[in-house]
Coordinates of all heavy atoms in Angstrom, one line a residue:
I421 N -9.8 7.5 -5.0 CA -11.0 8.0 -5.7 C -11.9 6.9 -6.1 O -13.2 6.9 -6.0 CB -10.6 8.8 -6.9 CG1 -9.9 10.1 -6.5 CG2 -11.8 9.2 -7.8 CD1 -9.4 11.0 -7.6
A422 N -11.3 5.8 -6.6 CA -12.1 4.6 -6.9 C -12.8 4.0 -5.7 O -14.0 3.6 -5.7 CB -11.2 3.5 -7.5
G423 N -12.2 4.1 -4.5 CA -12.8 3.7 -3.3 C -14.0 4.5 -2.9 O -15.0 4.0 -2.5
I424 N -13.9 5.9 -3.1 CA -15.1 6.7 -2.9 C -16.2 6.4 -3.8 O -17.4 6.3 -3.4 CB -14.6 8.2 -3.0 CG1 -13.6 8.6 -1.9 CG2 -15.9 9.1 -3.0 CD1 -13.1 10.0 -2.1
V425 N -15.9 6.2 -5.1 CA -16.9 5.9 -6.1 C -17.6 4.6 -5.8 O -18.8 4.4 -5.8 CB -16.3 5.8 -7.5 CG1 -17.3 5.3 -8.5 CG2 -15.7 7.2 -7.9
L426 N -16.8 3.5 -5.4 CA -17.4 2.3 -5.0 C -18.2 2.4 -3.7 O -19.3 1.8 -3.6 CB -16.3 1.2 -4.8 CG -16.8 -0.2 -4.4 CD1 -17.7 -0.8 -5.4 CD2 -15.6 -1.1 -4.1
G427 N -17.7 3.3 -2.8 CA -18.4 3.5 -1.6 C -19.8 4.1 -1.8 O -20.8 3.8 -1.1
I428 N -19.9 4.9 -2.9 CA -21.2 5.4 -3.3 C -22.2 4.3 -3.7 O -23.3 4.2 -3.2 CB -21.1 6.4 -4.5 CG1 -20.3 7.7 -4.0 CG2 -22.4 6.8 -5.1 CD1 -20.0 8.6 -5.1
G429 N -21.6 3.4 -4.5 CA -22.5 2.2 -4.9 C -22.9 1.4 -3.7 O -24.0 0.9 -3.6
L430 N -21.9 1.1 -2.8 CA -22.3 0.3 -1.6 C -23.2 1.0 -0.6 O -24.0 0.4 0.1 CB -21.0 -0.2 -0.9 CG -20.0 -1.1 -1.7 CD1 -18.8 -1.4 -0.9 CD2 -20.8 -2.4 -2.1
A431 N -23.1 2.3 -0.5 CA -23.9 3.1 0.4 C -25.4 3.1 0.0 O -26.3 3.1 0.8 CB -23.4 4.6 0.5
V432 N -25.6 2.9 -1.3 CA -27.0 2.8 -1.8 C -27.6 1.6 -1.3 O -28.8 1.5 -1.1 CB -26.9 2.8 -3.4 CG1 -28.3 2.5 -3.9 CG2 -26.4 4.1 -3.9
D433 N -26.8 0.5 -1.0 CA -27.4 -0.7 -0.5 C -28.3 -0.5 0.7 O -29.4 -1.1 0.8 CB -26.2 -1.7 -0.2 CG -26.7 -3.0 0.3 OD1 -27.6 -3.5 -0.3 OD2 -26.1 -3.6 1.3
A434 N -27.8 0.3 1.6 CA -28.6 0.5 2.8 C -29.9 1.2 2.5 O -31.0 0.8 3.0 CB -27.8 1.4 3.8
N435 N -29.9 2.2 1.6 CA -31.1 2.9 1.2 C -32.1 2.0 0.5 O -33.3 2.0 0.7 CB -30.8 4.1 0.3 CG -30.0 5.2 1.0 OD1 -28.8 5.4 0.7 ND2 -30.7 5.9 1.9
V436 N -31.6 1.1 -0.4 CA -32.4 0.1 -1.1 C -33.1 -0.8 -0.1 O -34.3 -1.1 -0.2 CB -31.6 -0.6 -2.2 CG1 -32.4 -1.8 -2.7 CG2 -31.1 0.3 -3.3
L437 N -32.3 -1.3 0.8 CA -32.8 -2.3 1.8 C -33.9 -1.6 2.6 O -35.0 -2.2 2.8 CB -31.7 -2.7 2.8 CG -30.8 -3.9 2.4 CD1 -29.6 -4.0 3.3 CD2 -31.7 -5.2 2.4
I438 N -33.7 -0.4 3.0 CA -34.7 0.4 3.8 C -36.0 0.6 3.0 O -37.1 0.3 3.5 CB -34.1 1.7 4.4 CG1 -33.1 1.4 5.4 CG2 -35.2 2.6 4.9 CD1 -32.2 2.6 5.7

Side-chain angles (χ1 to χ4, degrees):
I421 294 177
I424 293 175
V425 173
L426 180 62
I428 292 172
L430 295 178
V432 173
D433 182 42
N435 294 110
V436 171
L437 276 169
I438 291 166

